[in-house]
């Protein structure tokens, strides 16, 4: 089906079979949160279900795998293969996560973006504009630390088809990731 791409204004009338991408944030005492989900109008197609399930598996795998001391590039090596294992071309993958705090996207921890720099399988560490100085040689591939807040996400979009989004906000603890906005993730039908 058709559909509008995320973040673009459109006069496109949503119809049965279309995907609806919801990506929203909130603020509390100057700190930011970020979450996202996907719904389909009426019943989903197999392609919509497969794409959503791949997005969900990327986020679930991030939650279970990320740990203090791990570099985002190490996590990315695990995540990029999920799309094709689920039968979904990875070229539609738009990113995998970013840090949160007093800004929605902390530049120092925008660690896993996709198509802007490499078709869904290269981290921002390859970005020539990354912050680099005598202290931070690779600002986009700094290891995760306990106390960091981040959003793991799996936005996926194909022009003319639509997109899927799963995004959750986490606190990195010494024992792994703790969801800060816990809810059941599933492809909602409207």
């Amino acid at each position: 089906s058709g559909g509008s791409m995320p973040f673009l204004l459109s006069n496109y009338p949503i119809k049965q079979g279309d995907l609806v991408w919801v990506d929203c944030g909130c603020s509390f005492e100057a700190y930011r949160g970020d979450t996202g989900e996907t719904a389909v109008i009426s019943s989903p197609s197999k392609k919509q279900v497969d794409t959503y399930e791949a997005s969900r598996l990327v986020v679930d795998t991030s939650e279970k795998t990320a740990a203090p001391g791990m570099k985002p590039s190490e996590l990315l090596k695990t995540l990029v293969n999920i799309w094709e294992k689920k039968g979904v071309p990875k070229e539609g993958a738009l990113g995998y996560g970013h840090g949160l705090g007093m800004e929605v996207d902390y530049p120092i921890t925008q660690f896993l973006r996709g198509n802007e720099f490499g078709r869904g399988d290269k981290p921002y560490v390859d970005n020539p504009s990354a912050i680099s100085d005598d202290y931070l040689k690779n600002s986009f591939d700094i290891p995760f630390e306990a106390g960091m807040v981040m959003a793991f996400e799996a936005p996926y979009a194909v022009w003319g088809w639509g997109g899927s989004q799963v995004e959750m906000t986490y606190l990195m603890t010494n024992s792994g990731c703790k969801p800060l906005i816990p809810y059941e993730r599933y492809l909602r039908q409207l």
Side-chain angles (χ1 to χ4, degrees):
S1 68
S4 61
M5 291 296 283
F7 314 117
L8 300 177
L9 297 177
S10 171
N11 290 326
Y12 176 85
I14 296 173
K15 62 184 186 318
Q16 283 195 353
D18 282 348
L19 291 164
V20 177
W21 176 318
V22 179
D23 191 343
C24 58
C26 62
S27 298
F28 178 73
E29 295 183 3
Y31 287 91
R32 308 289 188 257
D34 199 5
T35 192
E37 261 306 337
T38 304
V40 64
I41 307 299
S42 192
S43 298
S45 69
K46 180 179 182 336
K47 181 178 180 179
Q48 290 170 332
V49 170
D50 290 349
T51 302
Y52 179 85
E53 290 300 320
S55 292
R56 190 178 76 175
L57 185 57
V58 166
V59 173
D60 289 347
T61 302
S62 297
E63 177 182 340
K64 293 174 186 162
T65 306
M70 174 183 265
K71 289 184 175 183
S73 60
E74 296 167 340
L75 177 61
L76 183 65
K77 289 175 187 174
T78 301
L79 302 180
V80 297
N81 297 318
I82 291 172
W83 300 105
E84 291 178 348
K85 285 181 184 174
K86 296 293 282 181
V88 178
K90 69 181 176 186
E91 286 78 21
L94 300 176
Y96 298 93
H98 55 88
L100 288 163
M102 296 180 82
E103 299 293 333
V104 174
D105 284 317
Y106 264 138
I108 201 165
T109 54
Q110 283 181 325
F111 44 85
L112 301 172
R113 292 287 189 206
N115 282 345
E116 296 118 315
F117 301 107
R119 312 299 286 168
D121 60 353
K122 293 188 188 291
Y124 255 171
V125 72
D126 292 341
N127 178 0
S129 66
I131 299 167
S132 181
D133 62 26
D134 291 338
Y135 302 101
L136 295 172
K137 295 297 184 194
N138 236 338
S139 63
F140 294 106
D141 203 27
I142 59 173
F144 298 122
E145 297 178 14
M148 284 183 164
V149 177
M150 62 203 73
F152 288 129
E153 63 182 337
Y156 189 91
V158 174
W159 190 261
W161 176 73
S164 177
Q165 167 71 322
V166 177
E167 182 173 23
M168 298 280 289
T169 299
Y170 294 93
L171 171 66
M172 179 63 70
T173 69
N174 287 325
S175 58
C177 295
K178 174 185 173 188
L180 295 180
I181 309 171
Y183 61 88
E184 187 178 352
R185 292 172 282 213
Y186 61 94
L187 181 58
R188 284 142 173 86
Q189 295 180 33
L190 305 176

